[in-house]
């Protein structure tokens, strides 16, 4: 069941990559590249840093199939209605939360301590978005504004606290997931921002 | 013999990196960095993802020697005559095709299935050019326009089809190579482009 | 003792990353990311290319603790007095030299030959700064101007020559360190630049 959620997360991130490619004026090949790096870039970076081989998308053709299908469909439609954009934002929040929690569990299974595992979870959730923005010539949005990766961090920390308090893994996973997704959706609804420290002149 | 062709491909890509560095106003160190990442960036990325160690350019000093020589020579000349640019474009098409076919064979030998192997071949051929453009502050040209990576993909797919049809490896390799290089050269000659999907407003 | 110097180098690079993040208008999360990649990006890239796992900052919590503390302190202060900037530049030159020499020793221990080891040392010293600039939307400064990575290269080459001449490792290390740091500081003091090869029109 987690596998199917994972594929949905990959599909949502692929759509977001394809939309960014159309905005940046890339061609069809660029669109497929941007959809792929957005969808599997974070997990790939995590697996490289953890030395987990072969990479998940090399073992299982489902990932690439979902990415190509979602990217081409997005290109064919060429626009998203306001209600589709709304649904995409909610799906993206769920994908973010899911990738964060999957990432921290993968890191735990690889024997990492808490802080590096937190980093790995955050990177799984947000690394693809960073590469997407670098490739389309932008300073990554999620480094500049919005409670995005921070929502992932909050969900992971809650998960780690609950685990340390003795909660079973599945329960902690679900609570962390709801926390991360909820915080992300609340940040969109109320336009919450992190402070941007400035240089005092 | 393949080894010598490989070195020629590396040299051609190093020249292309050095030219990009001069256009971006980099200094001599930046020029060497850009020549190197263009020439061996794609293969390095492929080997990292496939967990092939030690990396090819760590085992064999020939690669770095060719890169440094080609980069410094390009910097010393400081311009390319129109006929030299023409020769460079043809050599670049051959390098693209060669790297694509070498990349897919390396991936096959590592036990990859067809779709991931296709990705690895494409990445070997075009990854260095993407990093070159990111480092010189541009949205990668090959994500925006031109039949470039797409020519590599076509050659690889043809190679895979011929192999599946029972053709011996060497024959499929040569046919794929000619297809990729020929398609790239035709795309230059006739200014073929991929469609760029746009957002409908 | 080397370990403590290493942590100081990490802290200095984290401050430099945090300052770049404030200049680029990133938020608090972006500031932590930029501080981290500047401080441990070069070493991480080196260890990935050399297949050294687990990564140094996964094994030892000291690195992340120093990075977060230095980054938050920089954000809280929000400016550096001219004398603090002066001290930072000197500390940065020492960090550059230290990372270069540590990097080349790590590469030697991994069995690399001289030229790849030189590349690994240079990458350890300057890779983090390149990623920092790419993420903040700039063509990396150290590819464009200043004797920066070149000072690291000079120190490493001197170290390698002294080792080849039979000098003990520690002595060669210290001489290389002084050479790299001294050259960097002299380049700042006298505004030395590398030539920037241009395209002849």
């Amino acid at each position: 069941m987690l596998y199917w959620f994972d594929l949905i997360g990959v599909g949502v991130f692929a759509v977001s990559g394809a939309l960014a490619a159309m905005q940046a004026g890339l061609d069809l090949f660029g669109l497929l590249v941007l959809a792929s790096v957005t969808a599997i870039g974070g997990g790939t970076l995590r697996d490289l840093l953890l030395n987990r081989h072969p990479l998940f998308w090399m073992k299982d053709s489902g990932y690439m199939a979902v990415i190509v299908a979602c990217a081409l469909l997005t290109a064919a439609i060429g626009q998203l209605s306001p209600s589709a954009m709304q649904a995409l934002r909610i799906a993206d929040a769920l994908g973010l939360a899911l990738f964060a929690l999957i990432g921290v569990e993968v890191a735990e299974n690889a024997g990492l301590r808490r802080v590096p595992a937190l980093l790995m979870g955050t990177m799984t959730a947000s690394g693809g978005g960073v590469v997407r923005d670098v490739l389309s010539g932008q300073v990554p949005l999620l480094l500049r504004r919005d409670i995005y990766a921070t929502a992932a961090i909050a969900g992971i920390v809650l998960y780690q606290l609950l685990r340390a308090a003795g909660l079973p893994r599945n329960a902690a996973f679900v609570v962390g997931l709801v926390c991360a997704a909820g915080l992300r959706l609340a940040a969109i609804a109320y336009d919450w921002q992190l402070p941007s420290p400035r240089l005092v002149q």
Side-chain angles (χ1 to χ4, degrees), chain A:
Chain A
M1 171 135 166
L2 200 61
Y3 173 70
W4 293 103
F5 276 126
D6 195 19
L7 278 188
I8 293 175
V10 162
V12 170
F13 279 30
V15 171
S16 130
L19 289 172
M22 289 194 279
Q23 237 156 359
L26 304 189
D27 68 12
L28 201 55
F29 173 73
L31 183 138
L32 287 170
V33 169
L34 228 59
S36 305
V37 299
T38 310
I40 57 175
T44 300
L45 210 47
R46 174 201 66 210
D47 284 0
L48 278 182
L49 295 181
L50 291 178
N51 203 23
R52 293 176 78 231
H53 293 278
L55 299 173
F56 61 99
W57 49 268
M58 289 183 181
K59 283 184 293 191
D60 181 334
S61 313
Y63 291 98
M64 286 314 301
V66 166
I67 289 170
V68 171
C70 288
L72 292 183
L73 204 65
T74 309
I77 298 177
Q79 63 176 358
L80 292 180
S81 68
S83 61
M85 280 302 294
Q86 187 68 6
L88 184 66
R89 266 193 290 268
I90 294 170
D92 184 80
L94 286 172
L96 174 78
L98 191 68
F99 280 22
L101 273 297
I102 290 177
V104 73
E105 287 212 339
V106 164
E108 268 179 8
N109 290 341
L112 254 63
R113 302 178 195 208
R114 248 168 241 164
V115 173
L118 168 63
L119 292 179
M120 290 299 106
T122 313
M123 180 180 288
T124 309
S126 64
V130 170
V131 181
R132 173 196 67 208
D133 290 356
V134 166
L135 286 183
S136 53
Q138 312 223 333
V139 176
L141 185 66
L142 66 90
L143 301 180
R144 276 186 288 146
R145 54 195 307 274
D146 284 358
I147 306 278
Y148 190 84
T150 310
I153 292 175
I156 294 170
V157 168
L158 183 57
Y159 164 86
Q160 289 180 325
L161 288 174
L162 294 174
R163 290 278 289 148
L167 218 67
R169 188 171 245 198
N170 286 348
F173 189 99
V174 171
V175 177
L177 194 75
V178 170
C179 163
L183 186 52
R184 172 64 188 141
L185 290 172
I188 295 174
Y190 300 106
D191 196 28
W192 289 342
Q193 305 283 339
L194 280 185
S196 292
R198 299 280 166 186
L199 282 174
V200 182
Q201 297 307 331

